[in-house]
Amino acid sequence: MIGQTISHYEVIEKLGEGGMGIVYKALDLKLDRPVAIKFLPPDLNASRENKERFIREAKIVAGLNHPNILHIYDIDEQDGRLFFVMEFITGETLKSHIGKLKSGENISLQQAINWTIQIGQGLRAAHEKDIVHRDIKPENIMMTRNGLLKIMDFGIARLKSDTDSSDTDTLSGTLAYMSPEQAQGIIEDHRTDIWSLGVMFYEMLTGDLPFRAEHEAAWIYLIVNEDPLNPSSHDRRISPAIDSCVMKMLEKDREQRFRSADELLTTLRQVQIDVEQATQSVKTKAIALLPFQNISPDKESDYFSDGLTEELILNLSRLENMRVVSRTSIMQYKGTNKDIKTIGKELGVRYILEGSVRKLQDDLRITAQLVDVETDAQLWAGKFRGKLSDVFDIQEKVSEQIIDALLVRLSPTEKGVLCKRCPQNAEAFDYYLRARDALYRWTKNDIKSAIELFQRAIELDSRYAVAYAGLGEAYATLYQNFERKESYIDRSMEASLKALAYDATLSEAYAALGLAYFEKKMLDEALSAVQKAIELDPNSFVGYWILGRIYHTTDRDREAIELYKKVVALNPDFYTVRMDLRTVYERLGDKENYEDAVRNELEVYPRYIARYPKDPRAHIFYAVALARAGRIEEGKREAAKAIELNPSDPLMLYNTACFYAKIKEKRLALDSLKNSILAGFENYEWIRRDPDLDSIRNEPEYIALIEKKDQSSK
């Protein structure tokens, strides 16, 4: 077989063999890509029943489109031999990872939960199609190099509605992962897969199976009659919440198990949060760095004082024994009159750093003090004077003084981390801070300005990783919201990958890469990138936001809701996610939560606009929220203000169309929509999904716009 060409696939090597198939790696000669080909074994190929079963497996997998399920491309027959073609994954099975437990290479609790969630997500997609896998085990889970798990081998899967018991006289599945109903020859349903996943979860946590015996009859007896030990009896680090989840997955009576994969995922995510919080609680030093006050003669130097605060936060966040409140959470206290004790209580921290920055041309003066909010004691205070070129030394000194004052012990690696983000050139740093400030404003002109400033920073320091990451985010944002030019996505990916080449630990770079992949509709790659961003920085609101949009795009709105809520908690000022959250509730027909979301928007936008009155997007989003609340005249005033501030912005024009559509002024809505497209808004997938435009869906001009796009795409 190796070296032969089957259809347009050149067989390269044998990958494996099982009871229902032989799998080879091959090259797709038409598309020039590696694939996996599964053949029905010769001894089974003569049987009509086996052929039908083989075809049935292909059809089952082809009907499932989910990142956690192996994709199938084609099914064919040559020289009387059936085969189907699947995606080829460079990686290894989960069995090999679990096998490493035997050599002492433990899988962390977080990793075990994450892998169980991924498999659960794939099972939910199958169960929603009434498909029961019946053979969930580590050998049938493939892991990509990016850490994405994919369920494969649906060879003995059955439709839940299939009541044919012709195969119940023989055991289906693999003994170690077999459910009690399988062991007893009872027709299985989706809860069978939950049991098998429970066995895998147990094994990932403990390195051992919940049941083990010398021969088949004894093993079946244990599965049907005996309860396993709690996972925590193997490892005291395992919490009661994990014990409870695993043991519910392994209930003998399937009526007592989780009723669905959806219910299981809800529990697993709560367990995941509990484990993360428990891990964080070990970090005994919790600190918030309040925005440095800008006391420069030039009030436009806010970008510098805010940027310096952010850089210190990001440096200290890399330390294992410190919990540092994210930039997005502390920026709400910029210019606040609240006392430090109140702020500490609201943020859940004991220590607060506050200070001021005075920048006059090249001269720099920074003051800072560290306060214990429980005792009102000043733990440390310092003043630093110098030139702009001294800013990196000052950052490092401030970080070191905080660490010394809090008696935090650093590892040798962490000592080298403290100033890892610093460039070689102070002017490049200044351009970078200006670029970040422009990027946070999120208008078309500001994004383009940010791109120019990031590029200037890179020209001065060609290995400035965080500047490349910022450039990647800026290009992806420009493409997503303002100009749908493919070159912008290519530049985003190029810049993000270059950032990772210089610093593979940059969460911002993975987040930017995830956004670019998402816009390029490379959802598997986007998923892996943002998961890595979140792993590196649990406060990456951009990572959670993109992950939420991936789920929304793939009709996994319930999961998107939880991610959007996480974004709101991390960054209350990021109002775009409020719109996303409300949109999802509307699509799901969840009236109660939808109305709550609208009420929240009506509270958030006025507060934000009071601080940033020249943000046109906030005005137009507020206008749409007012329209939803029936406050039409107020909405019209906000919409007029938004257009006045930015009359040619494509995103502004699109949201204006949404506003007019909500108040059923269809003529104005259609005109605004057409003008937004002419100005560069070409996110047709969003246009098709956005419920704000429902009132004009049946209008001939709207239909013509969509049809024109569909024809141009052919």
Side-chain angles (χ1 to χ4, degrees), residues 231-258:
S232 59
S233 65
H234 296 265
D235 187 339
R236 287 183 296 176
R237 297 175 307 155
I238 297 172
S239 69
I242 295 176
D243 273 344
S244 175
C245 179
V246 173
M247 300 308 280
K248 188 170 182 179
M249 296 170 79
L250 295 177
E251 281 281 359
K252 308 270 184 211
D253 180 358
R254 59 184 173 187
E255 296 297 329
Q256 302 302 314
R257 270 176 236 155
F258 289 99

Side-chain angles (χ1 to χ4, degrees), residues 139-203:
E139 294 95 320
N140 285 340
I141 309 296
M142 198 73 185
M143 178 182 289
T144 71
R145 287 182 175 174
N146 291 327
L148 185 67
L149 299 189
K150 289 180 176 281
I151 303 170
M152 56 184 185
D153 199 345
F154 283 74
I156 63 170
R158 75 153 70 237
L159 292 174
K160 191 168 61 176
S161 57
D162 185 359
T163 58
D164 178 15
S165 59
S166 60
D167 64 349
T168 58
D169 55 341
T170 59
L171 295 180
S172 61
T174 301
L175 187 58
Y177 304 91
M178 193 176 289
S179 67
E181 56 268 24
Q182 283 176 295
Q184 297 175 88
I186 299 170
I187 293 177
E188 310 92 336
D189 64 14
H190 58 282
R191 292 167 294 185
T192 291
D193 291 339
I194 291 174
W195 168 284
S196 300
L197 180 55
V199 176
M200 285 178 56
F201 193 16
Y202 192 107
E203 191 176 12

